[in-house]
Amino acid sequence: MANKYKILIVEDESSILSFIKATLEANEYQAITADTCKNGLMMYASHRPDLVILDLGLPDMDGTEFIKEVRRNSITPILVLSARTEENDKVSALDLGANDYITKPFGTAELLARVRAALRSKRNSESSGTTGGEFTLNDMIINYDKRSVFVGNQEIKLTQTEYNILALLSFHSGKVLTYAFIINQIWGYVDGTSTKKLQVNMSNLRKKLGSKPGENKYIINELGVGYRMQDEF
Ligand code: CA
């Protein structure tokens, strides 16, 4: 297959590294690897991959150092692997500019879905401006010009804030947006009441879109991390 995507895997656990490499290669991706943060940065600089899959716990430096370095001048998607139970590590990785995370252990299907979503976000950001003024997800349509939202044939009446949150999530569909990122984008500042304000708006928004409590229709609640709009049904 021509035009193979090149994916850099930075991971020090050899069993996980070879699992990811084999899975990617079996699916027509080109995989290159590094087992330390330093080697990862060298491979990144010389190969310019389309996507990076990055373990956070590396022997020489924390994986977040890799994100900081790459994000100085590049928007290459970064998918973080986290074995840690602390939500804080994922959140700080996302806030530093990682696109998404996978929690270990994970299977082939989840890995490939996340890889596809991250590569799609790369294509979308490269072609931004040429895409139409509409976003469609299953039976939901957002019209950005009219700021209107339809589910099925029915128009959904949203407040300005609810609409802004929905539009923001749709611009980044497939990607987890952290609470802090959403709050900053919507209100421009974070204070003691921000998280509560976001949760209230989010719960009203999801209700209006027809989601029942605990159901992940259109928008997935990533507990302790943030929210993600689905990008495939
Ligand atoms: Ca590790």
Side-chain angles (χ1 to χ4, degrees):
M1 195 175 128
N3 246 337
K4 274 188 180 182
Y5 282 111
K6 196 192 291 176
I7 301 178
L8 169 63
I9 313 159
V10 188
E11 166 65 87
D12 60 316
E13 265 169 84
S14 58
S15 59
I16 298 177
L17 184 66
S18 41
F19 166 72
I20 299 174
K21 187 169 187 286
T23 303
L24 294 177
E25 286 173 346
N27 287 274
E28 304 293 328
Y29 295 106
Q30 187 190 339
I32 51 178
T33 64
D35 58 3
T36 63
C37 193
K38 204 169 153 231
N39 286 340
L41 285 169
M42 267 160 45
M43 292 291 280
Y44 180 84
S46 51
H47 290 271
R48 292 283 153 186
D50 298 292
L51 168 71
V52 180
I53 298 177
L54 173 72
D55 181 34
L56 285 182
L58 292 165
D60 56 337
M61 275 183 271
D62 198 89
T64 52
E65 297 301 322
F66 181 98
I67 303 173
K68 279 185 214 162
E69 190 57 37
V70 167
R71 275 295 171 268
R72 283 161 183 256
N73 53 23
S74 152
I75 58 160
T76 304
I78 300 173
L79 189 53
V80 160
L81 300 177
S82 173
R84 307 172 191 189
T85 45
E86 292 92 358
E87 301 295 334
N88 287 346
D89 293 325
K90 295 176 203 165
V91 174
S92 53
L94 291 166
D95 278 335
L96 283 170
N99 293 59
D100 207 346
Y101 66 86
I102 311 181
T103 307
K104 296 177 189 172
F106 52 87
T108 310
E110 189 186 0
L111 174 67
L112 291 171
R114 290 278 183 271
V115 165
R116 281 196 304 272
L119 289 170
R120 233 184 340 256
S121 78
K122 175 183 157 77
R123 282 198 302 276
N124 290 347
S125 60
E126 282 169 354
S127 66
S128 63
T130 60
T131 48
E134 259 188 17
F135 174 87
T136 307
L137 179 65
N138 202 25
D139 58 347
M140 177 179 72
I141 299 171
I142 305 172
N143 184 310
Y144 297 128
D145 300 327
K146 296 181 184 152
R147 296 175 64 88
S148 64
V149 179
F150 284 81
V151 172
N153 289 322
Q154 186 159 13
E155 181 162 13
I156 308 296
K157 291 287 173 207
L158 299 178
T159 65
Q160 291 293 323
T161 303
E162 289 161 3
Y163 173 83
N164 291 341
I165 295 172
L166 184 68
L168 178 67
L169 288 166
S170 71
F171 294 151
H172 302 275
S173 68
K175 181 179 168 184
V176 192
L177 302 184
T178 63
Y179 301 125
F181 178 84
I182 300 173
I183 290 164
N184 267 308
Q185 293 291 309
I186 300 297
W187 288 283
Y189 62 91
V190 179
D191 68 19
T193 66
S194 302
T195 308
K196 187 73 204 155
K197 222 161 41 176
L198 175 61
Q199 283 167 347
V200 169
N201 274 283
M202 215 57 190
S203 132
N204 290 337
L205 174 58
R206 285 155 59 103
K207 240 180 270 166
K208 289 181 182 179
L209 294 174
S211 295
K212 295 171 191 73
E215 184 188 44
N216 287 322
K217 206 177 175 189
Y218 315 114
I219 299 167
I220 299 167
N221 186 0
E222 303 274 359
L223 285 178
V225 180
Y227 297 96
R228 175 206 306 273
M229 183 166 289
Q230 306 211 45
D231 67 342
E232 47 189 29
F233 255 86

